[in-house]
Amino acid sequence: MSVNTETFLVEIGTEELPPKALNKLANAFAAGIEAGLQEAELSYGDVTIYAAPRRLAVMIDAMQLKQADKIVERKGPAKKAGFDADGNPTKALQGFARGCGATVADLIEIETDKGTWMAYNLEQKGLPATELLGDIVNQSLAKLPIPKRMRWGSSDVEFVRPVHWALMMLGSEVVPATILGHQTSNTTKGHRFHAPRLLTISKPEEYVTKLETEGYVLADFAKRSARIKKQVTEAAQQAGGNAVIDADLLEEVTALNEWPTAVVGEFDVTFLSVPSEALVSAMAGHQKYFHMLDSDGKLMANFITISNIESSNPASVKYGNERVIRPRLADAKFFWDQDRKNPLDDFLPRLKTVVFQQQLGTLFDKVERLETLAVKIGKPLGVDGALCERAARLSKCDLMSEMVGEFPDLQGVMGRYYATAQNENTQVAEAIDAQYQPRFAGDNLPESGVAQALAIADKLDTITGIYGVGQIPTGDKDPFALRRAALGLLRIMIEKNLDLDLRLLIQFSLELHEKVQVNEKLIDDIYDFIVSRLRAYYADQGISAEQFEAVRVCRPAHPIDFAKRIAAVKQFSEMDGAESLSAANKRISNILKKVETPISETVNTVLFTEQAETNLWNALDDLRETVSDYIAGRDYVTAISELSSIRGAVDTFFDDVMVMADDEAVKQNRLALLNQIYQLFLLVADISRL
């Protein structure tokens, strides 16, 4: 049966929406409408999302115009309760029939596992989509991820920004509804300055084109982003440079402009004496400007701004932006000059005034812990302890500088510059910056040993301290970014091949916190928390959850040991016979789990009664020394390859031998044999979990 469909369009017109939340709001709006359509059993086609500074819109192709009619079965009383001894309908049954708008004769009998019941098949007519869409849209808007809603005027309506219009159409018809205090219509509004008038939309399909050609609005976010990227690239080339287009900045600028136009500006070259990161932070962070590099990769005294108007006098736009950026750059130069008047060490006492965490003390207290912890971490890596201690001592000093006070994203970066300016050791200066690496997914890792030791120490101190005082991350709440810190220190250890005992370092770090009560459970909990970050890390590398668990249950103390075992398990999983050996280990594991008494650590060969027992024991005995050597050398790939040779003996054992023999001594001996096999495999991984 064919279904009548039309294109649906809804647009909410507002004051300028929060740029960093625009895409999130638009996607959630569309998802909420889709969920409502599915619940209402209305079919639909492709969904297109539009998001611009003053509008959220969703267009849906081939939407079903009316719900299908359906039969709804209403269940009444049990048959035995519906009729009296003479077979006459009881009042309960008559009442049920009346409630269905029917007579007792219209009722049917249905059989259930609890007997026969009376019921009525009610034909429910489908509702037109136009009667449902208002509620669907309103419910979606009510569920948008808006941390704090606002009111405006005398209305009780709440939304992220004041709403000025609501367009909602199904085909060429307006869908009547009240959306956020506004009656729906078929009109939208163009650009605030270029086309501040009502635009009538005759059908949804012309929405995008009409906004662009008559309203000076590019409603499509991706199209706007592509235009901005193209304009910025071309503008930079015309100015003799190369634009640096940061993805996050591009997204934010796209969310700020409906009709983007690139304009190149200039600033005084004397500002180039300031570290480029500070100038870029001022341009991008405060003004949303793109910066340019010359052919040598050096910052140019130019910027590119995106104007939301197509000005008839671009020179005035250029001049206005140059006037705005100059004070920002002047501030940066002032801070740079002021901060260098004193050595970094002079900032250290000020850290006593900044609380890191109430129970863990100040930033100065944290620095003192880092001095000890960084040296401890650096020692097995062969890193100069004096350099680790010095880097830790200066690590947080730049937080008290004027520059970082104004541009917080420059923490570490300015510390490196100030340390270099006072002729600190190069490794110390680099470590002050690299302590925060990796700052985000895919970011670079610290290169020098001093930087690696400090970066690990900084993250570990935060994790153990915050975890130790009971502020464990829950759900999406992680105010101290412990999850990111955990993954960061693991990446450094694994990807830089640092042979460090994580459990020992956790214990050592905990003992540096005076207010934390150290015990084995706390150490275990923190270890598990940190290592759990590897689940997603390895999933991104194609490691299955089963392969990850096979290693995790062995609780390797060294992260690089964890990595080597993962590689071995992955290779084992691809070998012929891996599934059979995994199944055999699972069988062994299940048998051993059911044993309530202690299992002997020794096997008595005198108690063997079957050749399969002797063969398995000999195969195990041959493997033990060889495999142990490979495991001692962390050559888990070879070790697990050698272990796989025991598969045939294990299979024969289970075919020929009854483990749970009547003779208690024989049974215990066989359990001891299986346990030794299982424990040998556990030196690599628990393959029973594969």
Side-chain angles (χ1 to χ4, degrees), residues 9 29 43 74 80 85 117 121 186 262 264 323 326 341 472 495 510 529 536 544 550 564 608 628 662 670 680 688:
L9 172 66
F29 185 33
S43 64
R74 287 189 179 178
K80 60 183 179 181
W117 293 72
N121 285 335
N186 61 348
V264 179
R323 284 191 61 189
R326 182 177 176 82
K341 289 181 178 179
I472 303 168
E495 295 176 28
L510 282 170
F529 167 75
S544 70
K564 291 178 183 292
F608 289 163
S628 296
D662 293 335
R670 290 172 179 172
L680 188 59
S688 71

PDB file of all heavy atoms in Angstrom, residues 9 29 43 74 80 85 117 121 186 262 264 323 326 341 472 495 510 529 536 544 550 564 608 628 662 670 680 688:
ATOM      1  N   LEU A   9       9.591  20.784   7.138  1.00  0.00           N
ATOM      2  CA  LEU A   9      10.598  21.784   7.493  1.00  0.00           C
ATOM      3  C   LEU A   9      10.183  22.504   8.764  1.00  0.00           C
ATOM      4  O   LEU A   9       9.043  22.953   8.895  1.00  0.00           O
ATOM      5  CB  LEU A   9      10.754  22.807   6.362  1.00  0.00           C
ATOM      6  CG  LEU A   9      11.636  24.034   6.664  1.00  0.00           C
ATOM      7  CD1 LEU A   9      13.094  23.616   6.872  1.00  0.00           C
ATOM      8  CD2 LEU A   9      11.531  25.065   5.532  1.00  0.00           C
ATOM      9  N   PHE A  29      18.483  18.625  18.290  1.00  0.00           N
ATOM     10  CA  PHE A  29      17.149  19.010  17.826  1.00  0.00           C
ATOM     11  C   PHE A  29      16.642  18.003  16.801  1.00  0.00           C
ATOM     12  O   PHE A  29      15.508  17.500  16.889  1.00  0.00           O
ATOM     13  CB  PHE A  29      17.222  20.419  17.221  1.00  0.00           C
ATOM     14  CG  PHE A  29      15.899  21.001  16.798  1.00  0.00           C
ATOM     15  CD1 PHE A  29      14.721  20.711  17.483  1.00  0.00           C
ATOM     16  CD2 PHE A  29      15.817  21.864  15.708  1.00  0.00           C
ATOM     17  CE1 PHE A  29      13.503  21.250  17.097  1.00  0.00           C
ATOM     18  CE2 PHE A  29      14.612  22.413  15.310  1.00  0.00           C
ATOM     19  CZ  PHE A  29      13.445  22.105  16.003  1.00  0.00           C
ATOM     20  N   SER A  43       6.645   7.277   9.163  1.00  0.00           N
ATOM     21  CA  SER A  43       7.852   6.998   8.387  1.00  0.00           C
ATOM     22  C   SER A  43       8.403   8.297   7.797  1.00  0.00           C
ATOM     23  O   SER A  43       7.684   9.284   7.632  1.00  0.00           O
ATOM     24  CB  SER A  43       7.548   6.008   7.270  1.00  0.00           C
ATOM     25  OG  SER A  43       6.633   6.562   6.339  1.00  0.00           O
ATOM     26  N   ARG A  74      -7.826  -4.652  23.409  1.00  0.00           N
ATOM     27  CA  ARG A  74      -8.017  -4.285  24.812  1.00  0.00           C
ATOM     28  C   ARG A  74      -8.421  -5.532  25.593  1.00  0.00           C
ATOM     29  O   ARG A  74      -9.382  -6.220  25.228  1.00  0.00           O
ATOM     30  CB  ARG A  74      -9.108  -3.226  24.951  1.00  0.00           C
ATOM     31  CG  ARG A  74      -8.691  -1.848  24.481  1.00  0.00           C
ATOM     32  CD  ARG A  74      -9.752  -0.817  24.854  1.00  0.00           C
ATOM     33  NE  ARG A  74      -9.386   0.527  24.438  1.00  0.00           N
ATOM     34  CZ  ARG A  74     -10.144   1.589  24.612  1.00  0.00           C
ATOM     35  NH1 ARG A  74     -11.343   1.449  25.206  1.00  0.00           N
ATOM     36  NH2 ARG A  74      -9.756   2.770  24.204  1.00  0.00           N
ATOM     37  N   LYS A  80     -14.144 -16.451  33.242  1.00  0.00           N
ATOM     38  CA  LYS A  80     -14.875 -16.998  34.393  1.00  0.00           C
ATOM     39  C   LYS A  80     -15.399 -15.889  35.309  1.00  0.00           C
ATOM     40  O   LYS A  80     -16.348 -16.096  36.071  1.00  0.00           O
ATOM     41  CB  LYS A  80     -13.995 -17.962  35.175  1.00  0.00           C
ATOM     42  CG  LYS A  80     -12.724 -17.351  35.747  1.00  0.00           C
ATOM     43  CD  LYS A  80     -11.889 -18.422  36.442  1.00  0.00           C
ATOM     44  CE  LYS A  80     -10.598 -17.844  37.016  1.00  0.00           C
ATOM     45  NZ  LYS A  80      -9.763 -18.881  37.668  1.00  0.00           N
ATOM     46  N   ALA A  85     -23.006 -17.972  36.890  1.00  0.00           N
ATOM     47  CA  ALA A  85     -23.259 -19.415  36.772  1.00  0.00           C
ATOM     48  C   ALA A  85     -24.275 -19.742  35.688  1.00  0.00           C
ATOM     49  O   ALA A  85     -24.256 -20.840  35.111  1.00  0.00           O
ATOM     50  CB  ALA A  85     -23.733 -19.966  38.119  1.00  0.00           C
ATOM     51  N   TRP A 117      -9.570 -15.150  28.471  1.00  0.00           N
ATOM     52  CA  TRP A 117      -9.921 -13.796  28.863  1.00  0.00           C
ATOM     53  C   TRP A 117     -10.802 -13.176  27.790  1.00  0.00           C
ATOM     54  O   TRP A 117     -10.733 -13.538  26.614  1.00  0.00           O
ATOM     55  CB  TRP A 117      -8.665 -12.931  29.049  1.00  0.00           C
ATOM     56  CG  TRP A 117      -7.813 -13.371  30.218  1.00  0.00           C
ATOM     57  CD1 TRP A 117      -7.051 -14.490  30.289  1.00  0.00           C
ATOM     58  CD2 TRP A 117      -7.677 -12.707  31.481  1.00  0.00           C
ATOM     59  NE1 TRP A 117      -6.430 -14.586  31.509  1.00  0.00           N
ATOM     60  CE2 TRP A 117      -6.796 -13.499  32.265  1.00  0.00           C
ATOM     61  CE3 TRP A 117      -8.204 -11.534  32.023  1.00  0.00           C
ATOM     62  CZ2 TRP A 117      -6.432 -13.144  33.567  1.00  0.00           C
ATOM     63  CZ3 TRP A 117      -7.840 -11.176  33.315  1.00  0.00           C
ATOM     64  CH2 TRP A 117      -6.970 -11.981  34.079  1.00  0.00           C
ATOM     65  N   ASN A 121     -11.263  -5.930  20.080  1.00  0.00           N
ATOM     66  CA  ASN A 121     -10.370  -5.350  19.077  1.00  0.00           C
ATOM     67  C   ASN A 121     -10.908  -3.986  18.647  1.00  0.00           C
ATOM     68  O   ASN A 121     -11.919  -3.903  17.964  1.00  0.00           O
ATOM     69  CB  ASN A 121     -10.245  -6.280  17.864  1.00  0.00           C
ATOM     70  CG  ASN A 121      -9.368  -7.482  18.167  1.00  0.00           C
ATOM     71  OD1 ASN A 121      -8.514  -7.428  19.050  1.00  0.00           O
ATOM     72  ND2 ASN A 121      -9.577  -8.579  17.450  1.00  0.00           N
ATOM     73  N   ASN A 186       4.867  30.357   7.617  1.00  0.00           N
ATOM     74  CA  ASN A 186       5.728  29.957   6.503  1.00  0.00           C
ATOM     75  C   ASN A 186       6.736  31.062   6.174  1.00  0.00           C
ATOM     76  O   ASN A 186       7.203  31.173   5.059  1.00  0.00           O
ATOM     77  CB  ASN A 186       4.898  29.610   5.261  1.00  0.00           C
ATOM     78  CG  ASN A 186       4.089  30.793   4.775  1.00  0.00           C
ATOM     79  OD1 ASN A 186       3.967  31.811   5.477  1.00  0.00           O
ATOM     80  ND2 ASN A 186       3.522  30.675   3.583  1.00  0.00           N
ATOM     81  N   ALA A 262      35.922  37.230   4.174  1.00  0.00           N
ATOM     82  CA  ALA A 262      37.268  37.324   4.741  1.00  0.00           C
ATOM     83  C   ALA A 262      37.880  38.693   4.493  1.00  0.00           C
ATOM     84  O   ALA A 262      37.760  39.251   3.397  1.00  0.00           O
ATOM     85  CB  ALA A 262      38.162  36.250   4.152  1.00  0.00           C
ATOM     86  N   VAL A 264      41.644  40.773   5.338  1.00  0.00           N
ATOM     87  CA  VAL A 264      43.017  40.693   5.844  1.00  0.00           C
ATOM     88  C   VAL A 264      43.386  41.996   6.540  1.00  0.00           C
ATOM     89  O   VAL A 264      43.167  43.082   6.000  1.00  0.00           O
ATOM     90  CB  VAL A 264      44.014  40.418   4.698  1.00  0.00           C
ATOM     91  CG1 VAL A 264      45.454  40.370   5.238  1.00  0.00           C
ATOM     92  CG2 VAL A 264      43.683  39.113   4.000  1.00  0.00           C
ATOM     93  N   ARG A 323      42.204  48.222  14.836  1.00  0.00           N
ATOM     94  CA  ARG A 323      42.102  49.020  16.067  1.00  0.00           C
ATOM     95  C   ARG A 323      41.785  48.137  17.265  1.00  0.00           C
ATOM     96  O   ARG A 323      42.271  48.374  18.378  1.00  0.00           O
ATOM     97  CB  ARG A 323      41.016  50.084  15.910  1.00  0.00           C
ATOM     98  CG  ARG A 323      41.413  51.268  15.055  1.00  0.00           C
ATOM     99  CD  ARG A 323      40.373  52.377  15.182  1.00  0.00           C
ATOM    100  NE  ARG A 323      40.264  52.856  16.573  1.00  0.00           N
ATOM    101  CZ  ARG A 323      39.330  53.694  17.005  1.00  0.00           C
ATOM    102  NH1 ARG A 323      38.412  54.142  16.147  1.00  0.00           N
ATOM    103  NH2 ARG A 323      39.294  54.090  18.254  1.00  0.00           N
ATOM    104  N   ARG A 326      44.974  45.770  18.269  1.00  0.00           N
ATOM    105  CA  ARG A 326      46.198  46.422  18.752  1.00  0.00           C
ATOM    106  C   ARG A 326      46.304  46.428  20.287  1.00  0.00           C
ATOM    107  O   ARG A 326      47.360  46.071  20.837  1.00  0.00           O
ATOM    108  CB  ARG A 326      46.293  47.850  18.207  1.00  0.00           C
ATOM    109  CG  ARG A 326      47.579  48.558  18.649  1.00  0.00           C
ATOM    110  CD  ARG A 326      47.727  49.958  18.069  1.00  0.00           C
ATOM    111  NE  ARG A 326      48.922  50.585  18.611  1.00  0.00           N
ATOM    112  CZ  ARG A 326      50.157  50.382  18.166  1.00  0.00           C
ATOM    113  NH1 ARG A 326      50.354  49.565  17.145  1.00  0.00           N
ATOM    114  NH2 ARG A 326      51.198  50.983  18.730  1.00  0.00           N
ATOM    115  N   LYS A 341      61.295  40.563  33.865  1.00  0.00           N
ATOM    116  CA  LYS A 341      62.098  41.404  34.756  1.00  0.00           C
ATOM    117  C   LYS A 341      62.574  40.630  35.987  1.00  0.00           C
ATOM    118  O   LYS A 341      63.524  41.039  36.658  1.00  0.00           O
ATOM    119  CB  LYS A 341      61.293  42.630  35.189  1.00  0.00           C
ATOM    120  CG  LYS A 341      61.084  43.639  34.057  1.00  0.00           C
ATOM    121  CD  LYS A 341      60.296  44.843  34.540  1.00  0.00           C
ATOM    122  CE  LYS A 341      60.125  45.869  33.406  1.00  0.00           C
ATOM    123  NZ  LYS A 341      59.333  47.045  33.850  1.00  0.00           N
ATOM    124  N   ILE A 472      36.268  10.602  43.328  1.00  0.00           N
ATOM    125  CA  ILE A 472      36.368   9.674  42.203  1.00  0.00           C
ATOM    126  C   ILE A 472      35.454  10.144  41.073  1.00  0.00           C
ATOM    127  O   ILE A 472      34.301  10.498  41.317  1.00  0.00           O
ATOM    128  CB  ILE A 472      35.959   8.253  42.659  1.00  0.00           C
ATOM    129  CG1 ILE A 472      36.846   7.819  43.834  1.00  0.00           C
ATOM    130  CG2 ILE A 472      36.043   7.263  41.514  1.00  0.00           C
ATOM    131  CD1 ILE A 472      36.351   6.567  44.534  1.00  0.00           C
ATOM    132  N   GLU A 495      54.059   4.364  24.549  1.00  0.00           N
ATOM    133  CA  GLU A 495      54.554   4.793  23.239  1.00  0.00           C
ATOM    134  C   GLU A 495      56.006   5.253  23.282  1.00  0.00           C
ATOM    135  O   GLU A 495      56.684   5.242  22.250  1.00  0.00           O
ATOM    136  CB  GLU A 495      53.644   5.890  22.682  1.00  0.00           C
ATOM    137  CG  GLU A 495      52.234   5.390  22.389  1.00  0.00           C
ATOM    138  CD  GLU A 495      51.292   6.487  21.919  1.00  0.00           C
ATOM    139  OE1 GLU A 495      51.781   7.465  21.313  1.00  0.00           O
ATOM    140  OE2 GLU A 495      50.071   6.367  22.160  1.00  0.00           O
ATOM    141  N   LEU A 510      51.118   8.170  46.388  1.00  0.00           N
ATOM    142  CA  LEU A 510      50.128   8.264  47.467  1.00  0.00           C
ATOM    143  C   LEU A 510      50.791   8.630  48.795  1.00  0.00           C
ATOM    144  O   LEU A 510      50.252   9.425  49.584  1.00  0.00           O
ATOM    145  CB  LEU A 510      49.377   6.938  47.612  1.00  0.00           C
ATOM    146  CG  LEU A 510      48.288   6.645  46.587  1.00  0.00           C
ATOM    147  CD1 LEU A 510      47.812   5.205  46.708  1.00  0.00           C
ATOM    148  CD2 LEU A 510      47.104   7.594  46.755  1.00  0.00           C
ATOM    149  N   PHE A 529      41.620   2.006  37.819  1.00  0.00           N
ATOM    150  CA  PHE A 529      41.089   3.197  37.171  1.00  0.00           C
ATOM    151  C   PHE A 529      41.983   3.624  36.011  1.00  0.00           C
ATOM    152  O   PHE A 529      41.504   3.931  34.912  1.00  0.00           O
ATOM    153  CB  PHE A 529      40.967   4.341  38.182  1.00  0.00           C
ATOM    154  CG  PHE A 529      40.720   5.685  37.553  1.00  0.00           C
ATOM    155  CD1 PHE A 529      39.470   6.013  37.047  1.00  0.00           C
ATOM    156  CD2 PHE A 529      41.748   6.623  37.446  1.00  0.00           C
ATOM    157  CE1 PHE A 529      39.244   7.250  36.450  1.00  0.00           C
ATOM    158  CE2 PHE A 529      41.530   7.858  36.861  1.00  0.00           C
ATOM    159  CZ  PHE A 529      40.274   8.169  36.359  1.00  0.00           C
ATOM    160  N   ALA A 536      39.555   1.780  25.682  1.00  0.00           N
ATOM    161  CA  ALA A 536      39.241   2.555  24.474  1.00  0.00           C
ATOM    162  C   ALA A 536      40.493   2.785  23.632  1.00  0.00           C
ATOM    163  O   ALA A 536      40.428   2.807  22.396  1.00  0.00           O
ATOM    164  CB  ALA A 536      38.626   3.899  24.867  1.00  0.00           C
ATOM    165  N   SER A 544      39.995  -6.258  20.409  1.00  0.00           N
ATOM    166  CA  SER A 544      38.640  -6.543  20.890  1.00  0.00           C
ATOM    167  C   SER A 544      38.576  -6.442  22.410  1.00  0.00           C
ATOM    168  O   SER A 544      39.605  -6.499  23.100  1.00  0.00           O
ATOM    169  CB  SER A 544      38.203  -7.940  20.458  1.00  0.00           C
ATOM    170  OG  SER A 544      38.937  -8.934  21.160  1.00  0.00           O
ATOM    171  N   ALA A 550      41.594 -10.346  28.438  1.00  0.00           N
ATOM    172  CA  ALA A 550      42.510 -11.475  28.616  1.00  0.00           C
ATOM    173  C   ALA A 550      43.823 -11.022  29.247  1.00  0.00           C
ATOM    174  O   ALA A 550      44.459 -11.760  30.007  1.00  0.00           O
ATOM    175  CB  ALA A 550      42.785 -12.146  27.271  1.00  0.00           C
ATOM    176  N   LYS A 564      52.940  -5.391  25.382  1.00  0.00           N
ATOM    177  CA  LYS A 564      53.549  -6.573  24.760  1.00  0.00           C
ATOM    178  C   LYS A 564      52.605  -7.774  24.839  1.00  0.00           C
ATOM    179  O   LYS A 564      52.511  -8.580  23.907  1.00  0.00           O
ATOM    180  CB  LYS A 564      54.883  -6.895  25.444  1.00  0.00           C
ATOM    181  CG  LYS A 564      55.981  -5.866  25.176  1.00  0.00           C
ATOM    182  CD  LYS A 564      57.258  -6.226  25.917  1.00  0.00           C
ATOM    183  CE  LYS A 564      58.339  -5.170  25.732  1.00  0.00           C
ATOM    184  NZ  LYS A 564      58.838  -5.121  24.352  1.00  0.00           N
ATOM    185  N   PHE A 608      49.066 -41.082  37.979  1.00  0.00           N
ATOM    186  CA  PHE A 608      48.538 -41.102  36.611  1.00  0.00           C
ATOM    187  C   PHE A 608      48.035 -42.506  36.277  1.00  0.00           C
ATOM    188  O   PHE A 608      48.737 -43.497  36.505  1.00  0.00           O
ATOM    189  CB  PHE A 608      49.615 -40.704  35.594  1.00  0.00           C
ATOM    190  CG  PHE A 608      50.003 -39.247  35.633  1.00  0.00           C
ATOM    191  CD1 PHE A 608      51.187 -38.808  35.046  1.00  0.00           C
ATOM    192  CD2 PHE A 608      49.187 -38.300  36.245  1.00  0.00           C
ATOM    193  CE1 PHE A 608      51.553 -37.477  35.072  1.00  0.00           C
ATOM    194  CE2 PHE A 608      49.549 -36.964  36.272  1.00  0.00           C
ATOM    195  CZ  PHE A 608      50.736 -36.552  35.694  1.00  0.00           C
ATOM    196  N   SER A 628      59.142 -20.089  30.215  1.00  0.00           N
ATOM    197  CA  SER A 628      59.515 -19.193  31.315  1.00  0.00           C
ATOM    198  C   SER A 628      60.625 -18.245  30.893  1.00  0.00           C
ATOM    199  O   SER A 628      60.641 -17.064  31.281  1.00  0.00           O
ATOM    200  CB  SER A 628      59.953 -20.006  32.537  1.00  0.00           C
ATOM    201  OG  SER A 628      58.871 -20.768  33.033  1.00  0.00           O
ATOM    202  N   ASP A 662      36.344 -40.831  40.733  1.00  0.00           N
ATOM    203  CA  ASP A 662      35.802 -41.252  42.033  1.00  0.00           C
ATOM    204  C   ASP A 662      36.889 -41.263  43.100  1.00  0.00           C
ATOM    205  O   ASP A 662      36.632 -40.955  44.266  1.00  0.00           O
ATOM    206  CB  ASP A 662      35.174 -42.650  41.905  1.00  0.00           C
ATOM    207  CG  ASP A 662      33.931 -42.631  41.020  1.00  0.00           C
ATOM    208  OD1 ASP A 662      33.301 -41.557  40.919  1.00  0.00           O
ATOM    209  OD2 ASP A 662      33.600 -43.672  40.420  1.00  0.00           O
ATOM    210  N   ARG A 670      44.665 -34.615  39.151  1.00  0.00           N
ATOM    211  CA  ARG A 670      44.295 -34.122  37.817  1.00  0.00           C
ATOM    212  C   ARG A 670      43.957 -32.628  37.855  1.00  0.00           C
ATOM    213  O   ARG A 670      44.280 -31.879  36.929  1.00  0.00           O
ATOM    214  CB  ARG A 670      43.121 -34.937  37.270  1.00  0.00           C
ATOM    215  CG  ARG A 670      43.518 -36.361  36.905  1.00  0.00           C
ATOM    216  CD  ARG A 670      42.345 -37.251  36.549  1.00  0.00           C
ATOM    217  NE  ARG A 670      42.814 -38.594  36.183  1.00  0.00           N
ATOM    218  CZ  ARG A 670      42.012 -39.635  35.978  1.00  0.00           C
ATOM    219  NH1 ARG A 670      40.688 -39.491  36.094  1.00  0.00           N
ATOM    220  NH2 ARG A 670      42.528 -40.810  35.652  1.00  0.00           N
ATOM    221  N   LEU A 680      50.373 -21.412  33.880  1.00  0.00           N
ATOM    222  CA  LEU A 680      51.434 -21.134  32.917  1.00  0.00           C
ATOM    223  C   LEU A 680      50.933 -20.178  31.835  1.00  0.00           C
ATOM    224  O   LEU A 680      51.635 -19.242  31.448  1.00  0.00           O
ATOM    225  CB  LEU A 680      51.936 -22.443  32.293  1.00  0.00           C
ATOM    226  CG  LEU A 680      53.172 -22.325  31.396  1.00  0.00           C
ATOM    227  CD1 LEU A 680      54.354 -21.749  32.171  1.00  0.00           C
ATOM    228  CD2 LEU A 680      53.537 -23.683  30.798  1.00  0.00           C
ATOM    229  N   SER A 688      41.332 -17.967  28.126  1.00  0.00           N
ATOM    230  CA  SER A 688      39.981 -18.524  28.272  1.00  0.00           C
ATOM    231  C   SER A 688      38.922 -17.453  28.030  1.00  0.00           C
ATOM    232  O   SER A 688      37.753 -17.756  27.817  1.00  0.00           O
ATOM    233  CB  SER A 688      39.799 -19.128  29.666  1.00  0.00           C
ATOM    234  OG  SER A 688      39.743 -18.110  30.655  1.00  0.00           O
TER     235      SER A 688
END
